[in-house]
Amino acid sequence: MIAVHARYRGRETRRADLVRRSAEALATLPGVGTFEEVGVEDIRAHVSGPVETVDLIMALLSDGNWAIGLGITQHGPAVFAATEAVGTRPAQVRVNVDKADVGTEARDIEATFALIAHVLAKRTVEGREATSLVRRGLNQNEAALELDISKQAMSQRLQAAGWQAEQAGWQLAVNLISWASSPQAQ
């Protein structure tokens, strides 16, 4: 079982409304369950698999205002493991894996998300526009047309935005979470 717990750490004055709207929006992502509101700043939900988990965490990291806990369990509710893991620093992912033979899985997943968060934090508005379009499935030519720029300018924006590093980090995070959540890893 996999769950994510997110704690809002931004400066919005109407926190409860922002957290509620965020929970509603995030719950529309494929494979993400209904979020439970835990207090004014905290939300948590079960997630169906590693791909969906990484997509959810990437959305939270892109905002930059959420401290994130990831719980991966074979025994017991993953939401409690996620709640135990969540920290206090924005754009930080902490991981709790319930394994009899504790290895480096949790730390490796945390390190991967730290690298991804660094790439996302350095991204310009133009870089966010470009990566958003290709993440939605457009190829570079289609995305360039959408932004009314040349294919070369689109390629440069993606390179400057760290698109290749994001994709490599995304795949690594999916692989690590898949391994940590598989029964054979126990």
Side-chain angles (χ1 to χ4, degrees), residues 5-180:
H5 184 122
R7 178 172 292 144
Y8 182 71
R9 306 318 284 158
R11 300 190 185 277
E12 178 69 33
T13 55
R14 300 190 64 158
R15 291 173 184 261
D17 291 336
L18 181 131
V19 169
R20 188 174 305 109
R21 286 192 319 269
S22 297
E24 290 169 2
L26 292 166
T28 66
L29 292 172
V32 177
T34 302
F35 276 87
E36 172 188 5
E37 292 181 36
V38 186
V40 175
E41 300 176 332
D42 294 66
I43 54 176
R44 64 186 183 190
H46 281 99
V47 188
S48 65
V51 168
E52 297 79 7
T53 301
V54 176
D55 288 344
L56 171 59
I57 291 174
M58 294 278 292
L60 291 163
L61 287 174
S62 292
D63 180 80
N65 290 313
W66 296 88
I68 304 159
L70 170 59
I72 302 172
T73 64
Q74 293 296 317
H75 313 289
V79 289
F80 298 133
T83 298
E84 287 176 19
V86 73
T88 58
R89 289 189 14 222
Q92 178 187 35
V93 179
R94 298 196 42 220
V95 181
N96 186 354
V97 178
D98 79 339
K99 292 178 72 167
D101 180 23
V102 178
T104 63
E105 296 84 13
R107 303 305 71 85
D108 291 345
I109 296 167
E110 288 174 359
T112 301
F113 281 119
L115 293 170
I116 292 170
H118 179 75
V119 169
L120 296 175
K122 300 293 183 190
R123 198 165 275 170
T124 63
V125 171
E126 293 82 7
R128 284 192 287 272
E129 288 175 334
T131 57
S132 174
L133 292 172
V134 294
R135 191 177 300 111
R136 284 193 348 227
L138 299 179
N139 66 37
Q140 285 190 30
N141 289 331
E142 295 166 336
L145 283 172
E146 181 88 15
L147 295 175
D148 197 28
I149 60 175
S150 70
K151 181 181 182 292
Q152 181 180 6
M154 182 65 182
S155 179
Q156 289 170 343
R157 283 188 186 186
L158 290 172
Q159 184 174 358
W163 176 245
Q164 288 181 334
E166 176 187 325
Q167 290 302 288
W170 182 90
Q171 188 61 61
L172 179 58
V174 167
N175 293 347
L176 290 169
I177 293 169
S178 294
W179 190 85

